[in-house]
Amino acid sequence: MEYTVQQLAKLSGVSGRTLRYYDEIGLLKPARLSSSGYRIYGQKEVDLLQQILFYRELEVSLEEITSIIHHPDFDLISALQQHVQKLQEKHARLEQIISTVQKTIENKEGGTLMTDEEKFEGFKKKLINENEKKYGKEVREQYGDEVVDDSNAKMMGLSEDDFKKMQEVEKEFLEELKKGYETGDPASPEAQKAVELHKKWLSFTWPQYSKEAHAGLGDMYVSDERFTAYYDQHIEGGTRFLRDAIYVYAGK
Amino acid sequence: MEYTVQQLAKLSGVSGRTLRYYDEIGLLKPARLSSSGYRIYGQKEVDLLQQILFYRELEVSLEEITSIIHHPDFDLISALQQHVQKLQEKHARLEQIISTVQKTIENKEGGTLMTDEEKFEGFKKKLINENEKKYGKEVREQYGDEVVDDSNAKMMGLSEDDFKKMQEVEKEFLEELKKGYETGDPASPEAQKAVELHKKWLSFTWPQYSKEAHAGLGDMYVSDERFTAYYDQHIEGGTRFLRDAIYVYAGK
DNA sequence: CATAAGGCTTAACGTAACGTGAAGGTCAAC
DNA sequence: GTTGACCTTCACGTTACGTTAAGCCTTATG
């Protein structure tokens, strides 16, 4: 059986362009040319194309396929074994990616589809989770388990009403921090008022307040990129300024 | 914090070229240019880049990322859902490919390392598995479990000697089919002899023969691409011809 | 026999996401 | 003042083809 480009294309499912390309790069040349220059493929070429498509399925590059096809002494097995390993890694990675995308969707959906009540619940839990994960260890080491657990318990125990109040206080605090920052002086009345608002904000979740702990928290803010990012998002350099203001407040 | 190209590159792990490219396509523009034309990135750009890299991790195209980043009203969720579907298809496909590669390795290894006995065993088991997976359901529905199970049992029970005989009969059958096909007539003596050889071949594994079942098998051959590919590989259009010949033989 | 439809050819540009020089300006340090 | 490390803008290379474009060949039909 002999085939022209289009016939072989239909037979094999690849495009005519692909066959011409394979000819161009020397991967699969037609058996002969017709008198008018048409490419004519024979049985051998059909079989070869099957082989090529097989390796292509395996995501082997055409360059490698050319090697495999043209050098029968090519170490096929170890090449395939390496290949299967790469595929498995890719497979695992894809799994990871899919689950991340799904989680992202869940979160985003949560933001648009959940009731305010549910949102509130989810938010609180998430906050505690994140705090636990990122700072739990550090804080536990410095202040002991009781403080952390109490803080979490208190946060979970917050009513939605209190939570809203807490958010309002935070907003007030950020505004005052900005005013203070503009004076450039951590000891300015504005900066000190900001620190007091910060203290008020903390009392929503802190079991008991101490100036030392407050100052320590300021240090953590500065040294931890997540907090730095959070406060600097509102005021560039605000984190350091807040720490300095807390130092003044705590008389440190 | 302000960064030049190279500094942000080190910070984020991408190349300088990548940052210039992102500037070029409007995905991430620097906060400003220095007096000498250097790109200067600020905190906002660092955060944005983080977002971009996050979506890139999820294999979202830069074009889509641009949409997501620049249009807050972009339908993120359905975009991500479509995306996750694509990823899952890719995932399933990869699985398929991996199993194909592994089978190939097995075969190649078998070809060089296994004894003839083992080769023979593996081949039979593999055949049964594949038949079961692809046609088991169909055949079971049509002829009942007993026929299938008996057929499998019989094939497993074949001696190496019988198996070789079976292969010889198949070869004879294919040759006769070709002769019949060349006459163009399914009722020709050659074609009918081919059908008889096919019957003989079947009896190696079929518990009992019936003309109805034989004719049904002919239909399945034609409707199932795997069989079509197998028979047409030897004789183009041979599958349909075989079915027609079986019809004649069965008086259908 | 002319013409139209469809298949064939080569040539050459387009794609995605950058890598890799080349040619030349800028900046901090010695 | 001169290295050397950075920065800039071109601009071509990469992979495996897709997509016109211009023009020749073959076959069917009026």
Side-chain angles (χ1 to χ4, degrees), chain A residues 4-7 17 20 37-39:
Chain A
T4 65
V5 163
Q6 217 43 230
Q7 285 163 357
R17 173 67 170 112
R20 293 193 190 95
Y38 286 20
R39 289 174 179 81

Side-chain angles (χ1 to χ4, degrees), chain B residues 198 213-223 239 242-243 246-247:
Chain B
H198 191 239
H214 199 174
L217 191 67
D219 283 335
M220 202 164 89
Y221 279 5
V222 171
S223 67
T239 314
L242 174 60
R243 181 200 52 186
I246 295 173
Y247 271 24

Side-chain angles (χ1 to χ4, degrees), chain A residues 47-81:
Chain A
D47 292 348
L48 244 178
L49 180 56
Q50 267 185 12
Q51 284 265 330
I52 291 169
L53 295 183
F54 172 71
Y55 288 113
R56 199 182 63 165
E57 271 303 289
L58 309 186
E59 304 196 339
V60 179
S61 75
L62 295 188
E63 199 180 342
E64 271 190 272
I65 296 180
T66 308
S67 292
I68 294 171
I69 299 288
H70 291 82
H71 306 295
D73 55 337
F74 182 80
D75 188 353
L76 187 59
I77 291 186
S78 72
L80 285 179
Q81 275 167 345

Side-chain angles (χ1 to χ4, degrees), chain A residues 34-51:
Chain A
S34 78
S35 59
S36 50
Y38 286 20
R39 289 174 179 81
I40 308 289
Y41 297 89
Q43 188 60 46
K44 217 177 83 185
E45 286 71 33
V46 175
D47 292 348
L48 244 178
L49 180 56
Q50 267 185 12
Q51 284 265 330

